[in-house]
Amino acid sequence: MQAPSNELAADRPVALKVEGVERSFGAVRALAGIDLSVHLGELLTILGPSGSGKTTLLKAIAGFEILDRGRIALAGRDVTDLAPARREIGMVFQNYALFPHMKVFDNVAFPLRMRRIAGARLAEQVGRVLDMVALGELANRYPSQLSGGQQQRVALARAIVFNPRLLLLDEPFGALDRKLRESMELEVRRLQQGLGLTTILITHDQEEALIMSDRIAVMRDGQVQQIGVPEAIYARPCDAFVADFVGESNLIGGKVESIEHGRARITRPDGRRILARVNADLSIGDEVTVLLRPEMPRLIRDASRPDNEFRGRIAETIYLGNSIKYRLTAEDGFDLMVRWPMSTDSRSLPLGSEIAVGWSATDSHLLRHSSPQPSPGKPLRFRSRLAGEG
């Protein structure tokens, strides 16, 4: 299932077109008919759990995987059967793949020498790119003499020194510590935008995808589930898998009891009722899942009556520095996860406190799936799973 793409770059020419791409390894279907367009100067992130097919797709685009079926075109030219070296694609691998016996200058110069560029022209291009990534003074060092962030910059410089038509980034920040990772994400994004480089980034990190992307394509089981701008992926996911995988979520399963004035009343098997804004064609009796992001519920401290109200005890507190998360549990076992910015109010809620929270019908998003599959890699205690049985 693929939702509308929310094309941010629809007015730009298409730089890369992937049509009906399939690839299997024995009984495992790694790519199950991928259709994808990337616009000139766009940064598209391929996001998905391990085994979703994202790295296989990247290798297929680069030319390292032979397709079973389908077509890949770059700048309008069919490159499906071209060798990797003839596709004019730059690539930064997860482990950087630097030549340990070569100095920084020679590592970056390697693609130019392979293209028979030498002399003053080679020195000028390498020097310009090394200055661009703030490594001009380290040109004579070996990779082993560099930090992880510096090695990544060398790999990036090598990938862009020959002015590629497309830049591919295969989980390039995975080996970096969190602080350096965040700094490099912004640095790479600024460089990509400054050069107008058409770029595809592969990651399983949802926050990284939201920070860096013009658009995000979420993959599952060799297919693109949804493609769109980050805000649409987060706020309006097409199904329960995307909702659960991208960001934290309360997923509340039930059936449509009534629809009135653009709002649906959802009833859970335990009798609880939730009002939600109608954002799709629904009929009475449909099984749905209500997506409620943890930041949406608010403390009820006065006589206000929100559309939805939940009373529970604080069963778990998770301190995150700039925000704090609480897992609220009702007497019947119904759980809700909330997340609020750090403030005097949020810090004053001790474990075991009884509180009431509420949210508007417009704060939720309706999905047609009532029992989402767990997504690998996300801590269960950071996710509230409230899908009803049956």
Side-chain angles (χ1 to χ4, degrees):
M1 176 179 181
Q2 183 171 324
S5 63
N6 307 96
E7 296 275 0
L8 185 69
D11 57 333
R12 304 181 197 172
V14 173
L16 173 74
K17 194 168 188 63
V18 177
E19 297 178 304
V21 166
E22 298 182 14
R23 182 71 170 109
S24 296
F25 301 97
V28 178
R29 200 176 184 198
L31 300 176
I34 299 289
D35 293 303
L36 195 67
S37 293
V38 184
H39 297 273
L40 190 66
E42 178 182 22
L43 193 155
L44 175 75
T45 294
I46 309 293
L47 176 66
S50 297
S52 60
K54 56 187 186 296
T55 297
T56 303
L57 176 59
L58 197 75
K59 289 180 177 179
I61 293 169
F64 298 126
E65 288 288 352
I66 298 174
L67 305 185
D68 297 330
R69 194 171 287 106
R71 176 179 179 270
I72 296 173
L74 188 58
R77 177 191 181 200
D78 191 333
V79 298
T80 309
D81 298 321
L82 282 185
R86 298 182 60 197
R87 298 192 183 198
E88 293 299 300
I89 292 175
M91 188 165 183
V92 177
F93 298 90
Q94 188 172 5
N95 62 357
Y96 312 143
L98 300 178
F99 299 113
H101 63 289
M102 290 185 184
K103 293 181 179 180
V104 167
F105 183 96
D106 295 314
N107 263 283
V108 176
F110 183 79
L112 298 179
R113 290 187 171 124
M114 295 299 292
R115 289 164 174 79
R116 302 183 186 281
I117 296 172
R121 183 183 171 196
L122 180 143
E124 189 277 329
Q125 285 187 234
V126 173
R128 176 176 54 83
V129 173
L130 285 177
D131 287 341
M132 199 179 295
V133 296
L135 289 176
E137 296 181 355
L138 304 180
N140 289 318
R141 291 194 184 181
Y142 289 97
S144 61
Q145 298 173 308
L146 304 178
S147 68
Q150 290 168 337
Q151 289 181 31
Q152 185 192 57
R153 289 194 189 104
V154 176
L156 181 62
R158 185 178 61 185
I160 66 176
V161 71
F162 60 95
N163 298 317
R165 293 181 180 273
L166 178 67
L167 175 63
L168 303 179
L169 305 174
D170 184 11
E171 306 228 28
F173 311 111
L176 305 179
D177 64 68
R178 183 176 182 85
K179 188 172 183 179
L180 180 57
R181 181 188 187 114
E182 291 173 353
S183 173
M184 288 302 300
E185 287 169 355
L186 297 177
E187 194 171 315
V188 170
R189 179 59 163 149
R190 283 193 290 266
L191 181 63
Q192 179 268 330
Q193 289 178 315
L195 295 174
L197 268 174
T198 307
T199 303
I200 297 178
L201 167 69
I202 297 293
T203 185
H204 63 270
D205 187 300
Q206 303 98 26
E207 185 176 336
E208 183 178 297
L210 293 170
I211 288 171
M212 295 191 66
S213 311
D214 289 312
R215 288 188 303 154
I216 298 170
V218 182
M219 286 190 67
R220 180 191 191 190
D221 297 334
Q223 296 181 315
V224 175
Q225 293 289 109
Q226 183 175 2
I227 181 169
V229 297
E231 189 275 335
I233 295 290
Y234 184 80
R236 299 183 297 280
C238 69
D239 60 21
F241 170 79
V242 176
D244 185 49
F245 188 76
V246 181
E248 298 160 349
S249 53
N250 295 289
L251 297 172
I252 309 168
K255 290 186 178 182
V256 178
E257 178 184 302
S258 63
I259 302 173
E260 188 175 354
H261 304 304
R263 303 195 304 181
R265 186 179 299 277
I266 312 301
T267 303
R268 278 177 43 83
D270 60 14
R272 285 183 180 269
R273 290 180 170 83
I274 297 170
L275 279 177
R277 175 177 55 89
V278 174
N279 51 266
D281 291 333
L282 292 176
S283 301
I284 306 301
D286 283 351
E287 290 192 357
V288 295
T289 295
V290 179
L291 164 64
L292 178 68
R293 296 296 187 185
E295 63 270 18
M296 292 304 182
R298 294 288 182 266
L299 273 172
I300 300 175
R301 293 184 178 276
D302 50 30
S304 62
R305 296 298 302 272
D307 294 331
N308 298 283
E309 185 175 322
F310 175 82
R311 294 182 179 273
R313 176 180 56 82
I314 297 177
E316 187 175 18
T317 301
I318 305 159
Y319 175 73
L320 296 173
N322 62 352
S323 65
I324 190 165
K325 287 192 279 191
Y326 296 108
R327 181 169 60 86
L328 309 180
T329 301
E331 290 183 359
D332 60 2
F334 187 98
D335 282 2
L336 195 74
M337 185 69 77
V338 298
R339 184 181 70 243
W340 296 317
M342 285 300 297
S343 67
T344 301
D345 287 346
S346 63
R347 283 199 300 266
S348 64
L349 302 175
L351 203 64
S353 298
E354 296 280 348
I355 64 171
V357 299
W359 65 93
S360 166
T362 58
D363 290 334
S364 54
H365 181 73
L366 281 179
L367 307 164
R368 288 189 174 275
H369 299 261
S370 60
S371 54
Q373 295 298 313
S375 60
K378 293 183 65 179
L380 282 171
R381 69 173 189 162
F382 283 10
R383 178 176 64 230
S384 183
R385 190 169 301 290
L386 306 172
E389 299 80 7

